[in-house]
Amino acid sequence: MTKEFDFDVIVLGAGGAGCAAAITAARNGTSVALVSKEGIGMGNTRMSGGEMSSSGVVDGDSAEVLKQDMMRGGEYLSNGHLVDIIARNASSAIRFVQGLGHYFRRDEEGRFSGKAASRLGGHSFPRSFGGLAVSIAHALRNAVANTKSISVFEDTLVTTLFREGDEIRGALGVDLKTSECVVLKAKATVLATGGCGWLYYPQTTNNRTATGEGYAIAFEAGVQLVDMEMVQFFPFAMNHPPHLVGTLLDEPILAGPKGKLINGLGEVIADHDINKMTRAQVTALMAKEISAGRATEWGGLKLDLSGNLDVPEMLEFKRVKDEVNFFEKVRIAYGEKAFNWKEPWDVSPSSHYMMGGVKIDPHGHSSMKNLYAVGEAAGGAMGANRLGSTSIADIFVTGIVAGKEMSTWIKEREKGKISNSLISREIEKIEKLFGQKGPQRPIKLKREFQKLMRENVGIVRDGERLSSALSQIDRMEEEVENALSVSSIRRYNTEFLDAVELKNMLTCARMIATCALERKESRGAHLRLDYPDKDDAHWLKNIIIQKKKSKMETSFFEKDISEI
Amino acid sequence: MTHGTWGKMKGTRQMDEYTIRISRFNPEVDDGPTLKEYTVSHVDQGSVIAALIYVYEEIDSTLLFSYGCRYKLCGKCAIKINGQPGLACETTLEDRMTLEPLDNLPVIRDLAVDRSGLLEPLRKYGLVYSADHEPEVALQPPEFSQLMRCNECLSCLSNCPAYKEEIDYGGPFFGVKLAELYYDVRDGKKQLKHLESFLDQCIQCRQCDVNCPWDVNFSEISSKIKGEVFKHKGVSVRDWLMSRPHLVGHLVSSVSSFFNSLVKKKSVRKIIDVLLRIDERAPFPEYHPGKVLPREGIERTTKRKVAYFVGCFDRFNDPDTAKNSLFVLEANGVEATAFDPGCCGAPFIGLGDLESARNRAIAVSRELRKLIHQGYDIVASCTTCGAVMKYEYPFLFDQLKEEEVQSRIYNLGDYLWQMHKAGELNTDYKKIKRRVGYQSPCHLKAQKIGAPFVDLLQLIPGLELAATFDKCCGMAGTMGFKKERYELSQRIGNPLSDEIRGKKLDLILSDCASCQMKIKNDAKVDSVHPITMVRQAMR
């Protein structure tokens, strides 16, 4: 049985960005549906390091300096207008998060000062305020639960955006607990679906829900996406034992001023100031060694932190982290000595963040009428590399901005109709999956696909492997269409979920591989072995990708040099 | 150019086969859950979540379980592992493990529970941060950071006997949310009213701490808050008396036989019921005169010296347990002395009178330290006294914090079992032909030492341990006496009584005097401390 609902605004995704958009829109008098594949606040916001950028707390720092850092860190591919908005509103977004009840770490006197902030890789000043990310999630849920005009749809997977003519008029969801369809009609729809780290499982720091739904359904609806080749691999993640592979350790800041990176042959490849490098720079350095076959037995490099044992600020860093048991898994997996920095850690880069995403204007509006994108689902602000702690700023700033913008926007708009034939066509596609017979179990194909991504569309890329990946993606898409077997269970059917996610993941993968093949240079997170150098003369431009007449097409967006 | 080694997952060398049992249940088609066996190829250092993923990928992808982050952040993979709630991501896989969904939450299917109900109590109580502005200076108290560690895995709800009966109260999960706001210096103390009604439902069984993966230890924090609530409330005559078992014991024990016969009269109980609001249907302890003394002229064969902590109940209501404990220790060559410094303070903590409890803690700790200094180990048979000295003293009153002191405080069963392992326990027991049951009290489970008497009882030839029970009896210290809480106490305790009656046993052994009383009164089965059996078996 299908249920239909009418709202002013529907927000798809309930991490920091989605909740911020929903709360802001609701506070401004609109009726909001907050739709989430999981529970509220159960995604990547909860799993982050919890650090959020501010600007202007320390003398000499300002929104302008933060903007410059982000532009430089993004290797000048970022959209300056978006960066500007994030930089100017970062500090007020901190107040918004505090206002929901989250507590950012303060200094010994209880003040919000530079002493309590960290200086993460690529930042000119200590300006990142930490805390427990789980507590951000708590605060978000408390606030959502107590905001009257937000209706919550948990455990609901969105499969399609309803497009009529040139505008989006709502979305179709499936309540996973019953497998009933939910038609959500709205004047405005927000994609806050996060990223797609799970494309690289287990080589990812992400939650298992990060499967790129937002990118895929936006693409299918003909929306423009940008910078899809830019996938951030976080430099320091666990690489064994198997069940912890890919899980997050920390930023370049972890290496401190005296940390060393050592390859599998025992050669030191970097011995100081790794903490001043950006994530992309450290990952590139590591990738070079690893792809040249000089990895450790676990496929990574050794990170030797022992040099920092006489660096007071690093001991303080360790104390703060240990207070919240941040590195407990190191103690369990690598042992007590490693935990205390007396033995090196075996580390590998792990897929962490999608710089690319739905192309938006400074208000969060996409290229398609009535459709917004916020947080990681949106692209453009982070360019070719994201600096640490900027994403928590980004999710809240873009969420708040879009929330405000929508509440004005919808007042001037009539709700458009969604034709019954469109609705029943989409529901039919879902229904057809239940009980579908085929030779292939979805999870098997999913794992095969993830292996392909790690090997061919991962950190280090070349034309040959990317082309081969694209042809394998063709084959897998065909299998998804014709060969999957899905049980007919209606009560939370994960085979159904796998099948839908896999379809979306393949769409994301096709976009990533296509754009990666297109960009014939190396920049930021995008490393081409066949084009190892940065090429400002030809590639200071963004790749836009869009579905036109059921074909994937790319175009370019030249940078306005004056912005840089 | 090589392709690198991304995701090759080296190190999956040794493959062993493990058999695990997983609860399968689809409420739409099945009558109830069934355990199904699966053989998994165990990857070196594998966790339970790795095994579930293996089953899902290799054997059966209709198996439903939840997970998100793969290491301790999302809380979604909490399930019952061999009966105990825990995170599948941080539990190492072992052969023959049984995996079931958490208790007290609706099961979606198999191991997955529905967590969407979490939003309800937050809404119902308007639980939202409401500071008007962010103060310039704000340092949070340690309780705040402790509470903030909660990753909402809901293991505490699975363990909570009160939540099982009283879903509306929200359970420890909701208590944590309330307490977070209460301790947040920016939000003031606005939640005290909600906390008061919350704490009325909490039975202080401490089960919420037992399986908490982040050691939030909510029961300790709730004791503190109870203390704050107490400051604003008066105390009734009944509660004043009930929190002073040592004083009452002294007064009554001199006229014990008269008193005992008096309270056996229904009419007297009726009057007490009306005047003091002690429910006439509740059990009532018998009082005994006299003091517990160790015997003279015992031969010492070990270096062990034990100061046996005589709890109030031991002293005034059940001297046999103390006598038996001392007898067993002495008969095994231990130098044993009765240590009777007065009440441990547990009833004060239960009431929220933390000032009085603190005085008790300081007095008891002073004596206890002296004895430890003289080489004594402290041994308590009462599981509540033991838990209070081990957990409440350090946390609430800054007493006995040092590891070298803490490590010398033992539960009686645990102490005897350690003697047995060291070969110092004479287990040449007489044959006892009897079928008995064993009930694990909440405050024993809270000490995370298992149920040592279950192992000890197995050493007695002929004794058949026909059933073990681990449900809460509902007595919860003094709660079961109280007229206004009697009904909840019964609802919590009835499942245990029913289970015991169903087993048709004539004796239930339990370390806790409250459990014994409640079992005798409700299940109508005799109940004594398990040391009684050990004593009887000795030649």
Side-chain angles (χ1 to χ4, degrees):
Chain A
M1 228 198 43
T2 305
K3 290 183 188 135
E4 290 196 15
F5 297 91
D6 257 296
F7 294 96
D8 291 334
V9 172
I10 55 176
V11 179
L12 312 180
C19 291
I23 292 165
T24 309
R27 283 177 182 174
N28 284 291
T30 63
S31 70
V32 181
L34 182 59
V35 188
S36 176
K37 187 159 73 161
E38 292 274 323
I40 305 297
M42 294 302 285
N44 279 335
T45 301
R46 184 189 196 84
M47 290 173 59
S48 71
E51 303 269 347
M52 181 163 175
S53 310
S54 66
S55 64
V57 174
V58 178
D59 277 351
D61 193 14
S62 66
E64 190 50 37
V65 184
L66 172 57
K67 181 181 171 183
Q68 290 309 325
D69 286 352
M70 286 178 70
M71 295 300 290
R72 189 174 56 248
E75 309 208 7
Y76 300 104
L77 216 58
S78 307
N79 177 331
H81 300 296
L82 298 179
V83 176
D84 196 57
I85 294 225
I86 294 167
R88 277 192 289 112
N89 293 294
S91 288
S92 68
I94 284 192
R95 288 191 289 277
F96 173 86
V97 182
Q98 283 171 332
L100 302 180
H102 179 63
Y103 178 77
F104 286 100
R105 192 172 57 239
R106 293 181 171 223
D107 66 17
E108 292 154 345
E109 291 167 6
R111 282 174 202 284
F112 203 74
S113 76
K115 273 191 274 178
S118 324
R119 180 181 169 179
L120 302 183
H123 285 275
S124 300
F125 289 98
R127 57 159 82 103
S128 304
F129 287 89
L132 286 170
V134 167
S135 125
I136 300 181
H138 292 184
L140 291 171
R141 196 178 44 230
N142 279 3
V144 165
N146 287 288
T147 307
K148 286 210 169 54
S149 51
I150 299 179
S151 307
V152 173
F153 294 80
E154 289 183 318
D155 297 300
T156 301
L157 170 74
V158 169
T159 57
T160 291
L161 295 172
F162 288 122
R163 174 180 168 181
E164 290 279 7
D166 276 332
E167 59 182 51
I168 301 298
R169 292 180 179 172
L172 180 67
V174 182
D175 179 345
L176 292 168
K177 285 190 289 200
T178 58
S179 298
E180 282 172 3
C181 288
V182 193
V183 175
L184 299 156
K185 298 175 178 174
K187 292 181 185 172
T189 300
V190 190
L191 294 170
T193 42
C196 58
W198 211 249
L199 264 62
Y200 297 91
Y201 169 85
Q203 200 75 37
T204 178
T205 63
N206 285 191
N207 192 285
R208 74 158 296 287
T209 53
T211 52
E213 262 91 65
Y215 308 135
I217 60 176
F219 175 81
E220 288 302 329
V223 179
Q224 288 186 345
L225 290 98
V226 66
D227 295 340
M228 288 302 284
E229 71 279 23
M230 295 300 177
V231 182
Q232 179 168 75
F233 279 74
F234 198 81
F236 305 140
M238 305 278 291
N239 58 21
H240 69 285
H243 66 279
L244 291 176
V245 166
T247 55
L248 179 135
L249 288 168
D250 212 339
E251 268 276 316
I253 189 177
L254 166 67
K258 293 189 184 172
K260 289 180 197 157
L261 275 168
I262 301 163
N263 69 15
L265 308 175
E267 299 161 347
V268 175
I269 60 160
D271 64 359
H272 66 281
D273 289 347
I274 298 171
N275 59 340
K276 299 221 172 69
M277 297 163 75
T278 65
R279 292 172 178 180
Q281 288 162 341
V282 181
T283 298
L285 185 76
M286 295 172 70
K288 217 176 91 190
E289 287 303 304
I290 294 166
S291 61
R294 295 190 288 269
T296 64
E297 61 160 324
W298 299 104
L301 296 177
K302 287 198 184 303
L303 177 63
D304 180 356
L305 300 171
S306 59
N308 293 314
L309 282 167
D310 57 9
V311 180
E313 67 261 30
M314 287 312 289
L315 293 174
E316 173 62 11
F317 167 85
K318 187 175 188 320
R319 190 191 64 76
V320 170
K321 293 285 181 181
D322 288 352
E323 230 171 51
V324 294
N325 241 343
F326 197 81
F327 294 120
E328 189 188 45
K329 59 192 167 201
V330 173
R331 175 183 261 150
I332 289 164
Y334 296 177
E336 193 66 29
K337 276 190 179 161
F339 178 78
N340 288 316
W341 298 0
K342 287 173 184 156
E343 268 176 13
W345 302 2
D346 217 306
V347 293
S348 296
S350 182
S351 161
H352 182 64
Y353 184 85
M354 184 58 168
M355 270 78 73
V358 174
K359 189 171 181 297
I360 54 168
D361 71 12
H363 302 296
H365 200 277
S366 74
S367 66
M368 184 78 60
K369 213 165 168 185
N370 301 347
L371 183 70
Y372 292 78
V374 292
E376 197 176 349
M382 304 303 174
N385 169 59
R386 178 172 75 70
L387 298 185
S389 82
T390 53
S391 72
I392 302 291
D394 168 62
I395 58 179
F396 288 109
V397 171
T398 56
I400 295 164
V401 166
K404 274 188 200 150
E405 168 71 14
M406 281 182 306
S407 34
T408 334
W409 159 265
I410 56 139
K411 286 188 188 118
E412 301 154 10
R413 292 202 54 83
E414 293 293 317
K415 193 165 290 170
K417 270 182 74 87
I418 307 171
S419 72
N420 285 336
S421 62
L422 175 60
I423 293 175
S424 39
R425 198 164 62 233
E426 290 301 332
I427 292 177
E428 210 171 294
K429 280 188 202 163
I430 292 176
E431 284 300 332
K432 165 177 145 313
L433 276 167
F434 288 94
Q436 180 176 292
K437 300 268 184 293
Q440 179 73 284
R441 282 200 296 139
I443 190 63
K444 284 287 185 192
L445 189 57
K446 211 174 182 180
R447 294 294 182 250
E448 186 191 339
F449 161 76
Q450 286 158 332
K451 183 165 179 281
L452 171 73
M453 289 303 286
R454 294 194 300 273
E455 290 173 357
N456 285 26
V457 199
I459 309 175
V460 181
R461 301 156 175 182
D462 60 50
E464 197 184 312
R465 276 187 286 164
L466 288 168
S467 307
S468 138
L470 280 166
S471 64
Q472 297 208 51
I473 289 168
D474 285 341
R475 191 254 308 163
M476 290 180 185
E477 279 186 335
E478 217 159 88
E479 279 193 56
V480 166
E481 213 51 56
N482 304 311
L484 290 189
S485 126
V486 176
S487 80
S488 55
I489 294 171
R490 306 295 291 197
R491 215 172 155 93
Y492 216 116
N493 185 334
T494 45
E495 288 176 323
F496 163 76
L497 180 63
D498 280 336
V500 176
E501 282 179 345
L502 182 53
K503 185 171 180 297
N504 290 331
M505 287 160 89
L506 282 159
T507 306
C508 293
R510 180 181 292 285
M511 286 192 273
I512 295 170
T514 303
C515 297
L517 193 60
E518 190 89 45
R519 183 173 288 279
K520 294 179 180 58
E521 65 156 353
S522 290
R523 179 186 300 270
H526 176 67
L527 302 175
R528 285 281 298 255
L529 293 174
D530 43 356
Y531 298 96
D533 299 321
K534 194 187 286 189
D535 180 1
D536 280 343
H538 299 96
W539 284 103
L540 216 48
K541 58 188 176 187
N542 304 98
I543 303 173
I544 313 279
I545 194 159
Q546 186 179 15
K547 185 175 177 179
K548 279 186 181 161
K549 299 195 179 103
S550 59
K551 275 217 156 92
M552 193 174 265
E553 280 186 19
T554 55
S555 56
F556 299 106
F557 183 76
E558 303 283 342
K559 301 308 289 184
D560 178 355
I561 302 296
S562 68
E563 275 175 33
I564 303 166
Chain B
M1 195 75 67
T2 61
H3 286 186
T5 51
W6 310 116
K8 290 257 168 74
M9 301 226 292
K10 284 186 180 181
T12 55
R13 292 154 305 229
Q14 192 191 340
M15 304 290 273
D16 290 320
E17 291 210 329
Y18 277 60
T19 304
I20 53 175
R21 294 185 301 165
I22 303 177
S23 168
R24 300 298 307 264
F25 179 41
N26 181 350
E28 262 170 28
V29 290
D30 305 327
D31 295 333
T34 45
L35 286 175
K36 207 172 158 200
E37 271 196 5
Y38 295 87
T39 305
V40 300
S41 298
H42 168 66
V43 174
D44 192 28
Q45 286 187 299
S47 62
V48 171
I49 198 72
L52 288 170
I53 294 172
Y54 178 92
V55 172
Y56 185 79
E57 289 176 358
E58 303 302 327
I59 305 171
D60 183 356
S61 43
T62 66
L63 173 69
L64 186 66
F65 58 99
S66 307
Y67 76 104
C69 71
R70 295 185 289 153
Y71 196 74
K72 282 186 81 168
L73 295 170
C74 73
K76 287 196 67 175
C77 67
I79 52 172
K80 273 198 310 178
I81 302 165
N82 290 340
Q84 295 292 311
L87 297 179
C89 63
E90 68 158 345
T91 309
T92 305
L93 181 67
E94 286 166 18
D95 199 22
R96 311 299 305 168
M97 267 181 165
T98 301
L99 311 178
E100 295 163 290
L102 293 181
D103 284 334
N104 300 340
L105 289 154
V107 174
I108 298 177
R109 208 155 55 70
D110 303 335
L111 300 178
V113 291
D114 189 352
R115 290 159 182 268
S116 58
L118 295 190
L119 289 173
E120 259 329 294
L122 301 181
R123 274 193 197 115
K124 191 174 136 199
Y125 291 89
L127 258 193
V128 67
Y129 177 80
S130 56
D132 310 327
H133 69 288
E134 186 75 10
E136 204 157 294
V137 178
L139 267 185
Q140 299 288 15
E143 291 87 351
F144 180 78
S145 348
Q146 189 175 332
L147 289 158
M148 277 297 175
R149 294 203 291 249
C150 167
N151 71 350
E152 311 181 318
C153 72
L154 308 186
S155 290
C156 56
L157 287 189
S158 181
N159 273 357
C160 179
Y163 180 68
K164 188 184 168 76
E165 293 306 320
E166 201 59 69
I167 297 276
D168 274 357
Y169 119 90
F173 164 75
F174 172 60
V176 167
K177 301 289 126 185
L178 267 173
E180 275 171 9
L181 292 175
Y182 172 76
Y183 277 111
D184 192 329
V185 290
R186 304 166 301 170
D187 199 31
K189 304 271 177 190
K190 289 174 217 157
Q191 306 299 333
L192 206 60
K193 220 178 115 241
H194 287 325
L195 276 162
E196 195 176 327
S197 64
F198 172 82
L199 291 169
D200 273 346
Q201 312 288 321
C202 167
I203 62 168
Q204 295 182 307
C205 64
R206 314 183 62 105
Q207 297 309 295
C208 45
D209 296 358
V210 176
N211 301 98
C212 178
W214 283 103
D215 297 327
V216 172
N217 292 351
F218 178 64
S219 78
E220 291 171 352
I221 286 183
S222 71
S223 295
K224 272 195 181 177
I225 300 172
K226 203 154 193 171
E228 293 301 310
V229 172
F230 179 80
K231 286 182 191 164
H232 305 284
K233 280 203 322 194
V235 55
S236 67
V237 176
R238 179 198 65 193
D239 291 353
W240 192 92
L241 287 169
M242 275 190 179
S243 59
R244 288 164 174 79
H246 209 260
L247 176 72
V248 173
H250 265 296
L251 292 174
V252 175
S253 61
S254 54
V255 288
S256 56
S257 48
F258 169 68
F259 184 83
N260 290 342
S261 61
L262 199 64
V263 294
K264 281 208 176 85
K265 292 192 170 63
K266 281 196 171 160
S267 53
V268 175
R269 285 298 300 271
K270 192 131 214 138
I271 295 166
I272 297 176
D273 182 300
V274 174
L275 286 181
L276 288 178
R277 297 181 63 72
I278 292 176
D279 200 287
E280 58 180 319
R281 293 161 294 181
F284 210 90
E286 275 193 22
Y287 281 83
H288 290 264
K291 233 183 146 156
V292 180
L293 291 171
R295 292 173 300 153
E296 298 295 323
I298 303 286
E299 189 196 344
R300 314 289 171 214
T301 56
T302 79
K303 283 183 189 156
R304 290 180 190 268
K305 289 162 75 175
V306 164
Y308 173 82
F309 185 91
V310 184
C312 300
F313 202 88
D314 271 353
R315 167 104 189 250
F316 300 110
N317 307 97
D318 181 23
D320 285 349
T321 293
K323 284 180 195 156
N324 289 335
S325 302
L326 284 166
F327 183 93
V328 171
L329 288 164
E330 285 168 339
N332 282 286
V334 178
E335 183 188 330
T337 179
F339 170 44
D340 185 2
C343 177
C344 68
F348 284 131
I349 298 170
L351 181 63
D353 182 357
L354 296 191
E355 263 331 289
S356 306
R358 179 186 302 279
N359 293 338
R360 290 310 314 144
I362 292 170
V364 172
S365 301
R366 196 191 307 122
E367 297 300 314
L368 193 144
R369 259 175 211 290
K370 272 190 219 156
L371 286 163
I372 288 178
H373 195 66
Q374 290 164 27
Y376 284 94
D377 294 325
I378 311 296
V379 173
S381 67
C382 171
T383 49
T384 300
C385 301
V388 163
M389 288 189 285
K390 266 194 126 43
Y391 300 107
E392 309 279 24
Y393 280 14
F395 183 78
L396 291 176
F397 311 120
D398 276 326
Q399 298 293 320
L400 308 184
K401 277 191 139 164
E402 314 86 317
E403 175 56 29
E404 61 269 27
V405 177
Q406 273 300 326
S407 63
R408 301 281 294 279
I409 305 172
Y410 295 88
N411 163 269
L412 175 66
D414 191 31
Y415 196 78
L416 293 177
W417 184 249
Q418 291 197 20
M419 283 180 67
H420 173 61
K421 280 196 296 188
E424 295 173 36
L425 199 69
N426 177 5
T427 55
D428 180 22
Y429 292 127
K430 284 191 293 211
K431 198 168 179 179
I432 296 185
K433 263 200 85 65
R434 202 160 180 190
R435 279 179 85 234
V436 297
Y438 175 83
Q439 142 78 358
S440 248
C442 292
H443 287 173
L444 176 67
K445 287 188 275 179
Q447 294 184 41
K448 304 183 194 178
I449 50 172
F453 267 111
V454 168
D455 297 325
L456 286 163
L457 292 168
Q458 318 272 1
L459 302 173
I460 300 174
L463 188 72
E464 185 194 345
L465 194 57
T468 54
F469 308 94
D470 71 349
K471 291 193 174 83
C472 176
C473 74
M475 194 66 201
T478 57
M479 170 176 142
F481 296 117
K482 296 180 179 175
K483 195 168 174 61
E484 72 279 12
R485 300 183 73 194
Y486 180 78
E487 194 257 340
L488 176 62
S489 162
Q490 286 306 104
R491 271 194 287 144
I492 294 171
N494 284 341
L496 175 68
S497 305
D498 293 345
E499 202 184 334
I500 289 177
R501 276 196 296 267
K503 296 285 181 191
K504 307 239 178 294
L505 300 164
D506 60 358
L507 182 64
I508 303 296
L509 305 170
S510 177
D511 308 45
C512 170
S514 292
C515 296
Q516 292 163 21
M517 254 197 296
K518 187 85 166 160
I519 290 167
K520 283 192 267 194
N521 194 64
D522 292 6
K524 310 286 180 217
V525 179
D526 194 20
S527 181
V528 294
H529 195 283
I531 193 69
T532 320
M533 274 289 118
V534 178
R535 164 77 181 82
Q536 278 175 23
M538 289 175 69
R539 288 178 194 273

